[in-house]
Amino acid sequence: VTPSVPEGPLYCPLLEQMREDNLNNNNTQVNLVVVCIHGIFSSLGILENALIIWVLGFRLRQRTVASIWMLNLAMSDFLATLTLPLFTFYFYSSHSWELGYPLCIVQTSIFFFNMFVSAFLLAAISLDRLLLVSKPVWSKNHRSVARAWKLCALGWLWAALNTLPYSIFRSVIEKADSRKLCYHNFALYLSSEDSLEMDCNVRQGATAISKFLLAFFFPLVVIAGSYIKIALSLRNRHSLFSQSFTKMVTSVIAAFVLCWAPYHIFCILEMAAQYNKKIFKLVQVGLPVSATFAFLNPVLNPVLYVFSCPHFCVRIRQSLGAVFDGLVEEGGGLLTTPARNLQAYIKRRNSRDVSF
Protein backbone atom coordinates (compact mmCIF):
# COMPACT_ATOMS: atom_id res chain seq x y z
CA VAL A 1 0.00 0.00 0.00
CA THR A 2 1.47 3.35 -1.07
CA PRO A 3 1.25 6.04 1.66
CA SER A 4 -0.97 8.96 0.80
CA VAL A 5 0.89 12.08 -0.26
CA PRO A 6 -0.37 15.26 1.43
CA GLU A 7 -1.22 18.26 -0.69
CA GLY A 8 0.13 20.75 1.87
CA PRO A 9 2.32 20.68 4.98
CA LEU A 10 1.42 18.15 7.64
CA TYR A 11 0.61 19.28 11.17
CA CYS A 12 0.26 17.21 14.31
CA PRO A 13 -3.30 17.02 15.73
CA LEU A 14 -2.29 19.17 18.71
CA LEU A 15 -0.73 21.77 16.45
CA GLU A 16 -3.87 21.82 14.29
CA GLN A 17 -5.89 22.61 17.41
CA MET A 18 -3.48 25.40 18.28
CA ARG A 19 -3.76 26.83 14.75
CA GLU A 20 -7.54 26.95 14.99
CA ASP A 21 -7.69 28.18 18.57
CA ASN A 22 -8.28 31.90 19.09
CA LEU A 23 -6.87 32.43 22.56
CA ASN A 24 -7.75 35.92 23.69
CA ASN A 25 -4.48 37.79 24.28
CA ASN A 26 -5.82 41.27 23.62
CA ASN A 27 -5.80 42.43 27.24
CA THR A 28 -3.53 45.44 26.85
CA GLN A 29 -2.90 45.91 30.58
CA VAL A 30 -1.94 42.26 31.13
CA ASN A 31 0.33 42.26 28.08
CA LEU A 32 1.97 45.48 29.23
CA VAL A 33 2.71 44.00 32.66
CA VAL A 34 4.18 40.85 31.09
CA VAL A 35 6.30 42.90 28.69
CA CYS A 36 7.62 45.03 31.57
CA ILE A 37 8.47 41.96 33.65
CA HIS A 38 10.32 40.41 30.71
CA GLY A 39 12.16 43.67 30.14
CA ILE A 40 13.31 43.75 33.77
CA PHE A 41 14.38 40.08 33.66
CA SER A 42 16.26 40.67 30.43
CA SER A 43 18.13 43.74 31.68
CA LEU A 44 19.08 42.18 35.03
CA GLY A 45 20.14 38.88 33.52
CA ILE A 46 22.28 40.44 30.80
CA LEU A 47 24.00 42.85 33.20
CA GLU A 48 24.59 40.26 35.94
CA ASN A 49 26.02 37.59 33.67
CA ALA A 50 28.04 40.06 31.58
CA LEU A 51 29.59 41.39 34.79
CA ILE A 52 30.51 37.87 35.95
CA ILE A 53 31.97 36.96 32.54
CA TRP A 54 34.03 40.17 32.52
CA VAL A 55 35.42 39.61 36.02
CA LEU A 56 35.98 35.85 35.86
CA GLY A 57 37.09 35.83 32.24
CA PHE A 58 39.27 38.95 32.05
CA ARG A 59 39.97 40.33 35.52
CA LEU A 60 40.67 37.26 37.65
CA ARG A 61 44.33 36.98 38.62
CA GLN A 62 44.39 33.21 38.94
CA ARG A 63 42.03 30.65 37.37
CA THR A 64 40.60 28.00 39.69
CA VAL A 65 38.22 25.09 39.24
CA ALA A 66 35.46 27.05 40.97
CA SER A 67 35.95 30.00 38.64
CA ILE A 68 35.71 27.72 35.58
CA TRP A 69 32.33 26.35 36.76
CA MET A 70 31.02 29.87 37.36
CA LEU A 71 32.38 31.26 34.10
CA ASN A 72 30.75 28.54 31.99
CA LEU A 73 27.47 28.85 33.87
CA ALA A 74 27.52 32.62 33.33
CA MET A 75 28.27 32.23 29.60
CA SER A 76 25.33 29.87 29.14
CA ASP A 77 23.03 32.10 31.18
CA PHE A 78 24.23 35.17 29.25
CA LEU A 79 23.22 33.53 25.95
CA ALA A 80 19.79 32.71 27.39
CA THR A 81 19.17 36.21 28.67
CA LEU A 82 20.17 37.66 25.29
CA THR A 83 17.16 35.90 23.77
CA LEU A 84 14.76 37.28 26.37
CA PRO A 85 14.05 40.42 24.30
CA LEU A 86 12.85 38.15 21.47
CA PHE A 87 10.41 36.45 23.82
CA THR A 88 9.38 39.85 25.14
CA PHE A 89 8.62 41.05 21.62
CA TYR A 90 6.48 37.93 21.11
CA PHE A 91 4.28 38.98 24.04
CA TYR A 92 4.28 42.59 22.84
CA SER A 93 2.99 41.38 19.45
CA SER A 94 -0.11 39.76 21.06
CA HIS A 95 1.50 36.32 21.18
CA SER A 96 2.45 36.34 17.50
CA TRP A 97 5.96 35.48 16.30
CA GLU A 98 6.81 38.26 13.86
CA LEU A 99 10.59 37.83 13.85
CA GLY A 100 10.87 35.16 11.17
CA TYR A 101 12.09 31.57 10.96
CA PRO A 102 15.86 32.13 11.61
CA LEU A 103 15.29 33.94 14.91
CA CYS A 104 12.70 31.32 15.86
CA ILE A 105 15.39 28.64 15.52
CA VAL A 106 17.95 30.79 17.38
CA GLN A 107 15.63 31.52 20.30
CA THR A 108 14.53 27.89 20.59
CA SER A 109 18.02 26.44 20.32
CA ILE A 110 19.50 28.75 22.95
CA PHE A 111 16.60 28.18 25.35
CA PHE A 112 16.97 24.39 25.30
CA PHE A 113 20.77 24.58 25.12
CA ASN A 114 20.84 26.67 28.29
CA MET A 115 18.40 24.28 29.96
CA PHE A 116 20.71 21.30 29.42
CA VAL A 117 23.99 23.17 30.08
CA SER A 118 22.67 24.68 33.33
CA ALA A 119 21.45 21.33 34.58
CA PHE A 120 24.80 19.71 33.76
CA LEU A 121 26.87 22.47 35.37
CA LEU A 122 24.73 22.75 38.51
CA ALA A 123 25.05 18.98 38.98
CA ALA A 124 28.82 19.19 38.35
CA ILE A 125 29.21 22.03 40.85
CA SER A 126 27.28 20.03 43.44
CA LEU A 127 29.44 16.93 42.98
CA ASP A 128 32.58 19.06 43.06
CA ARG A 129 31.51 20.65 46.36
CA LEU A 130 30.73 17.19 47.76
CA LEU A 131 34.16 15.84 46.79
CA LEU A 132 35.86 18.85 48.34
CA VAL A 133 34.16 18.13 51.67
CA SER A 134 34.11 14.32 51.71
CA LYS A 135 37.42 13.58 49.90
CA PRO A 136 39.71 16.60 50.36
CA VAL A 137 42.93 14.65 49.72
CA TRP A 138 41.61 13.08 46.51
CA SER A 139 40.31 16.46 45.36
CA LYS A 140 43.67 18.10 45.97
CA ASN A 141 45.43 15.47 43.85
CA HIS A 142 42.92 15.18 41.00
CA ARG A 143 41.08 18.52 40.67
CA SER A 144 42.60 20.82 38.06
CA VAL A 145 41.60 23.73 35.85
CA ALA A 146 42.35 21.70 32.71
CA ARG A 147 40.02 18.89 33.78
CA ALA A 148 37.31 21.38 34.69
CA TRP A 149 37.52 22.89 31.19
CA LYS A 150 37.29 19.41 29.64
CA LEU A 151 34.20 18.58 31.71
CA CYS A 152 32.58 21.88 30.72
CA ALA A 153 33.33 21.21 27.05
CA LEU A 154 31.76 17.78 27.45
CA GLY A 155 28.70 19.39 29.02
CA TRP A 156 28.35 21.88 26.16
CA LEU A 157 28.64 19.08 23.59
CA TRP A 158 26.10 16.97 25.49
CA ALA A 159 23.70 19.93 25.62
CA ALA A 160 24.13 20.62 21.89
CA LEU A 161 23.26 17.02 21.01
CA ASN A 162 20.17 17.11 23.22
CA THR A 163 19.10 20.42 21.67
CA LEU A 164 19.14 19.10 18.08
CA PRO A 165 15.63 17.54 18.08
CA TYR A 166 14.05 20.79 19.27
CA SER A 167 15.86 22.82 16.62
CA ILE A 168 15.12 20.39 13.78
CA PHE A 169 11.39 20.22 14.41
CA ARG A 170 10.91 23.93 15.09
CA SER A 171 8.81 25.86 12.61
CA VAL A 172 6.85 29.08 12.17
CA ILE A 173 3.17 28.26 11.62
CA GLU A 174 0.44 30.69 10.68
CA LYS A 175 -2.77 30.46 12.68
CA ALA A 176 -6.33 30.90 11.44
CA ASP A 177 -6.41 34.43 12.90
CA SER A 178 -3.19 35.34 10.98
CA ARG A 179 -1.00 35.28 14.08
CA LYS A 180 2.18 33.17 13.92
CA LEU A 181 3.49 30.44 16.18
CA CYS A 182 7.14 29.60 16.72
CA TYR A 183 6.53 26.05 17.82
CA HIS A 184 7.57 22.45 17.30
CA ASN A 185 5.97 20.55 14.43
CA PHE A 186 6.84 16.89 14.91
CA ALA A 187 5.28 16.02 11.54
CA LEU A 188 7.81 18.18 9.71
CA TYR A 189 10.03 15.30 8.54
CA LEU A 190 9.55 11.64 7.61
CA SER A 191 5.82 11.58 8.28
CA SER A 192 2.80 10.64 6.18
CA GLU A 193 -0.92 10.99 6.74
CA ASP A 194 -1.10 7.30 7.64
CA SER A 195 1.60 7.51 10.32
CA LEU A 196 0.91 11.11 11.42
CA GLU A 197 -0.68 10.53 14.82
CA MET A 198 1.79 7.84 15.88
CA ASP A 199 4.80 9.89 14.76
CA CYS A 200 3.57 12.97 16.60
CA ASN A 201 2.76 11.11 19.83
CA VAL A 202 6.06 9.21 19.89
CA ARG A 203 8.22 12.24 19.09
CA GLN A 204 6.43 14.58 21.48
CA GLY A 205 6.45 12.01 24.27
CA ALA A 206 10.15 11.23 23.72
CA THR A 207 11.22 14.88 23.84
CA ALA A 208 9.01 15.81 26.80
CA ILE A 209 10.06 12.84 28.95
CA SER A 210 13.75 12.97 27.98
CA LYS A 211 14.14 16.65 28.83
CA PHE A 212 12.25 16.11 32.09
CA LEU A 213 14.64 13.32 33.08
CA LEU A 214 17.91 14.70 31.68
CA ALA A 215 17.43 18.42 32.39
CA PHE A 216 15.43 18.30 35.62
CA PHE A 217 14.88 15.05 37.52
CA PHE A 218 18.35 13.45 37.37
CA PRO A 219 20.21 16.77 37.94
CA LEU A 220 17.86 17.59 40.83
CA VAL A 221 18.60 14.22 42.44
CA VAL A 222 22.34 14.90 42.11
CA ILE A 223 22.08 18.50 43.39
CA ALA A 224 19.79 17.70 46.32
CA GLY A 225 21.64 14.50 47.26
CA SER A 226 25.05 16.19 47.17
CA TYR A 227 24.05 19.21 49.22
CA ILE A 228 22.11 17.15 51.76
CA LYS A 229 25.16 14.95 52.29
CA ILE A 230 27.40 18.03 52.56
CA ALA A 231 25.03 19.67 55.04
CA LEU A 232 24.93 16.53 57.21
CA SER A 233 28.71 16.26 57.15
CA LEU A 234 29.20 19.88 58.09
CA ARG A 235 26.55 19.77 60.79
CA ASN A 236 28.50 17.03 62.52
CA ARG A 237 31.57 19.30 62.52
CA HIS A 238 30.06 22.50 63.85
CA SER A 239 26.69 24.27 63.75
CA LEU A 240 28.33 27.62 62.81
CA PHE A 241 28.98 26.32 59.30
CA SER A 242 25.76 24.39 58.82
CA GLN A 243 23.31 27.21 59.52
CA SER A 244 24.47 29.62 56.82
CA PHE A 245 25.22 26.82 54.39
CA THR A 246 21.79 25.23 54.85
CA LYS A 247 20.09 28.53 53.99
CA MET A 248 22.11 28.88 50.80
CA VAL A 249 21.49 25.26 49.77
CA THR A 250 17.76 25.56 50.40
CA SER A 251 17.55 28.65 48.21
CA VAL A 252 19.54 26.96 45.42
CA ILE A 253 17.36 23.85 45.31
CA ALA A 254 14.14 25.86 45.71
CA ALA A 255 15.09 28.20 42.83
CA PHE A 256 15.93 25.28 40.54
CA VAL A 257 12.64 23.53 41.30
CA LEU A 258 10.43 26.64 41.17
CA CYS A 259 11.94 27.87 37.91
CA TRP A 260 11.88 24.62 35.95
CA ALA A 261 9.24 22.35 37.52
CA PRO A 262 6.20 24.25 36.12
CA TYR A 263 7.63 24.18 32.61
CA HIS A 264 8.27 20.43 32.65
CA ILE A 265 4.86 19.73 34.19
CA PHE A 266 3.09 21.64 31.42
CA CYS A 267 5.22 19.88 28.76
CA ILE A 268 4.09 16.52 30.12
CA LEU A 269 0.47 17.70 30.34
CA GLU A 270 0.73 18.82 26.72
CA MET A 271 1.03 15.17 25.64
CA ALA A 272 -2.63 14.67 26.63
CA ALA A 273 -3.88 18.09 25.55
CA GLN A 274 -5.20 16.98 22.16
CA TYR A 275 -7.51 14.48 23.86
CA ASN A 276 -8.87 16.78 26.57
CA LYS A 277 -10.21 20.28 25.93
CA LYS A 278 -9.70 21.44 29.53
CA ILE A 279 -6.07 20.33 29.56
CA PHE A 280 -5.60 21.98 26.16
CA LYS A 281 -6.85 25.33 27.48
CA LEU A 282 -4.74 24.98 30.62
CA VAL A 283 -1.60 24.26 28.60
CA GLN A 284 -2.30 27.11 26.19
CA VAL A 285 -2.28 29.59 29.07
CA GLY A 286 0.22 27.91 31.40
CA LEU A 287 3.06 26.91 29.07
CA PRO A 288 4.11 30.48 28.07
CA VAL A 289 3.89 31.56 31.72
CA SER A 290 5.97 28.59 32.87
CA ALA A 291 8.54 29.37 30.17
CA THR A 292 8.80 32.84 31.69
CA PHE A 293 9.55 31.28 35.09
CA ALA A 294 12.19 29.09 33.42
CA PHE A 295 13.87 32.26 32.12
CA LEU A 296 14.16 33.38 35.75
CA ASN A 297 16.82 30.73 36.40
CA PRO A 298 19.57 32.44 34.35
CA VAL A 299 18.73 35.67 36.21
CA LEU A 300 18.85 34.06 39.66
CA ASN A 301 21.96 31.91 39.15
CA PRO A 302 24.44 34.80 39.56
CA VAL A 303 22.75 35.83 42.79
CA LEU A 304 22.63 32.33 44.25
CA TYR A 305 26.06 31.09 43.22
CA VAL A 306 28.19 34.21 43.31
CA PHE A 307 26.60 36.74 45.64
CA SER A 308 25.72 34.17 48.33
CA CYS A 309 29.07 34.59 50.06
CA PRO A 310 28.27 35.03 53.77
CA HIS A 311 30.41 38.18 53.99
CA PHE A 312 29.54 39.70 50.62
CA CYS A 313 28.25 42.91 52.22
CA VAL A 314 31.70 43.42 53.73
CA ARG A 315 33.59 42.41 50.60
CA ILE A 316 31.53 44.69 48.37
CA ARG A 317 33.50 47.58 49.83
CA GLN A 318 36.63 46.12 48.29
CA SER A 319 37.46 46.37 44.62
CA LEU A 320 35.24 44.30 42.33
CA GLY A 321 38.08 42.10 41.23
CA ALA A 322 39.08 41.35 44.82
CA VAL A 323 35.51 40.39 45.66
CA PHE A 324 35.37 37.80 42.90
CA ASP A 325 38.88 36.60 43.62
CA GLY A 326 37.73 35.80 47.13
CA LEU A 327 34.53 34.17 45.99
CA VAL A 328 36.17 31.68 43.62
CA GLU A 329 39.55 31.09 45.22
CA GLU A 330 40.14 27.47 46.17
CA GLY A 331 40.59 28.44 49.79
CA GLY A 332 37.40 30.47 49.91
CA GLY A 333 34.08 30.75 48.15
CA LEU A 334 30.71 29.33 48.89
CA LEU A 335 31.93 26.56 51.14
CA THR A 336 35.16 27.58 52.80
CA THR A 337 34.53 31.12 54.06
CA PRO A 338 32.52 29.73 57.01
CA ALA A 339 35.27 27.15 57.52
CA ARG A 340 37.83 29.91 58.03
CA ASN A 341 35.45 31.49 60.55
CA LEU A 342 35.20 28.12 62.28
CA GLN A 343 38.98 27.76 62.46
CA ALA A 344 39.33 31.26 63.90
CA TYR A 345 36.57 30.49 66.41
CA ILE A 346 38.32 27.29 67.53
CA LYS A 347 41.63 29.14 67.91
CA ARG A 348 39.96 31.77 70.08
CA ARG A 349 38.33 29.06 72.18
CA ASN A 350 41.65 27.22 72.53
CA SER A 351 43.38 30.38 73.70
CA ARG A 352 40.74 30.82 76.39
CA ASP A 353 40.09 27.22 77.36
CA VAL A 354 42.83 24.58 76.97
CA SER A 355 40.36 21.71 77.57
CA PHE A 356 38.15 22.69 74.54
Side-chain angles (χ1 to χ4, degrees), residues 299-311:
V299 179
L300 290 177
N301 279 337
V303 177
L304 297 175
Y305 282 90
V306 177
F307 298 117
S308 57
C309 175
H311 297 287

Side-chain angles (χ1 to χ4, degrees), residues 127-145:
L127 288 175
D128 184 48
R129 300 293 92 181
L130 176 60
L131 290 173
L132 278 173
V133 172
S134 61
K135 298 182 180 296
V137 177
W138 184 94
S139 296
K140 184 178 180 180
N141 294 330
H142 293 85
R143 288 173 81 249
S144 68
V145 170

Side-chain angles (χ1 to χ4, degrees), residues 96 98 167-168 182 197 200 237 249 263 291 300 315 334 337:
S96 179
E98 304 292 339
S167 303
I168 291 173
C182 172
E197 187 171 356
C200 292
R237 296 181 189 181
V249 169
Y263 171 77
L300 290 177
R315 292 192 173 200
L334 297 178
T337 300

Side-chain angles (χ1 to χ4, degrees), residues 192-266:
S192 65
E193 289 185 342
D194 297 331
S195 64
L196 179 63
E197 187 171 356
M198 179 182 293
D199 289 342
C200 292
N201 289 339
V202 170
R203 292 168 182 175
Q204 183 176 11
T207 53
I209 293 173
S210 64
K211 68 185 174 185
F212 169 75
L213 294 176
L214 297 177
F216 182 74
F217 181 75
F218 291 149
L220 180 61
V221 170
V222 173
I223 294 168
S226 298
Y227 282 139
I228 289 172
K229 193 167 183 178
I230 292 171
L232 291 175
S233 175
L234 297 177
R235 185 183 64 181
N236 294 333
R237 296 181 189 181
H238 201 279
S239 61
L240 179 65
F241 197 164
S242 63
Q243 290 177 0
S244 60
F245 184 76
T246 301
K247 291 179 182 179
M248 188 273 290
V249 169
T250 303
S251 64
V252 166
I253 298 175
F256 184 77
V257 172
L258 291 175
C259 288
W260 284 108
Y263 171 77
H264 290 290
I265 290 172
F266 278 109

Side-chain angles (χ1 to χ4, degrees), residues 180-194:
K180 296 180 180 67
L181 286 171
C182 172
Y183 213 65
H184 48 249
N185 179 13
F186 292 114
L188 201 57
Y189 303 106
L190 303 176
S191 291
S192 65
E193 289 185 342
D194 297 331

Side-chain angles (χ1 to χ4, degrees), residues 1-251:
V1 179
T2 304
S4 57
V5 179
E7 296 180 357
L10 284 175
Y11 298 111
C12 291
L14 177 62
L15 192 55
E16 280 286 5
Q17 285 183 259
M18 296 174 66
R19 291 181 67 223
E20 299 298 327
D21 184 71
N22 294 319
L23 184 65
N24 183 16
N25 294 309
N26 296 320
N27 191 323
T28 306
Q29 292 182 341
V30 173
N31 282 340
L32 182 61
V33 170
V34 172
V35 168
C36 290
I37 292 174
H38 271 267
I40 294 171
F41 288 171
S42 177
S43 301
L44 286 176
I46 291 172
L47 289 174
E48 288 172 350
N49 288 291
L51 176 64
I52 295 171
I53 291 172
W54 178 70
V55 173
L56 298 185
F58 302 100
R59 303 294 296 176
L60 198 63
R61 292 193 299 268
Q62 183 179 2
R63 294 290 173 86
T64 64
V65 173
S67 69
I68 300 306
W69 298 135
M70 299 301 174
L71 178 59
N72 279 268
L73 184 62
M75 289 190 294
S76 175
D77 289 341
F78 181 69
L79 285 175
T81 52
L82 283 179
T83 66
L84 258 176
L86 304 180
F87 205 53
T88 305
F89 188 78
Y90 165 75
F91 281 105
Y92 177 78
S93 303
S94 299
H95 293 235
S96 179
W97 188 265
E98 304 292 339
L99 299 172
Y101 176 74
L103 284 179
C104 173
I105 297 299
V106 168
Q107 192 273 336
T108 299
S109 301
I110 292 178
F111 175 82
F112 288 108
F113 184 78
N114 172 257
M115 178 179 70
F116 286 108
V117 169
S118 295
F120 179 90
L121 289 176
L122 295 181
I125 291 171
S126 304
L127 288 175
D128 184 48
R129 300 293 92 181
L130 176 60
L131 290 173
L132 278 173
V133 172
S134 61
K135 298 182 180 296
V137 177
W138 184 94
S139 296
K140 184 178 180 180
N141 294 330
H142 293 85
R143 288 173 81 249
S144 68
V145 170
R147 287 181 178 176
W149 273 117
K150 290 178 182 178
L151 279 174
C152 290
L154 181 64
W156 286 67
L157 177 61
W158 178 79
L161 293 174
N162 279 285
T163 302
L164 275 178
Y166 306 97
S167 303
I168 291 173
F169 288 105
R170 207 65 169 188
S171 181
V172 176
I173 304 104
E174 188 168 346
K175 298 180 66 175
D177 59 6
S178 298
R179 286 184 295 177
K180 296 180 180 67
L181 286 171
C182 172
Y183 213 65
H184 48 249
N185 179 13
F186 292 114
L188 201 57
Y189 303 106
L190 303 176
S191 291
S192 65
E193 289 185 342
D194 297 331
S195 64
L196 179 63
E197 187 171 356
M198 179 182 293
D199 289 342
C200 292
N201 289 339
V202 170
R203 292 168 182 175
Q204 183 176 11
T207 53
I209 293 173
S210 64
K211 68 185 174 185
F212 169 75
L213 294 176
L214 297 177
F216 182 74
F217 181 75
F218 291 149
L220 180 61
V221 170
V222 173
I223 294 168
S226 298
Y227 282 139
I228 289 172
K229 193 167 183 178
I230 292 171
L232 291 175
S233 175
L234 297 177
R235 185 183 64 181
N236 294 333
R237 296 181 189 181
H238 201 279
S239 61
L240 179 65
F241 197 164
S242 63
Q243 290 177 0
S244 60
F245 184 76
T246 301
K247 291 179 182 179
M248 188 273 290
V249 169
T250 303
S251 64

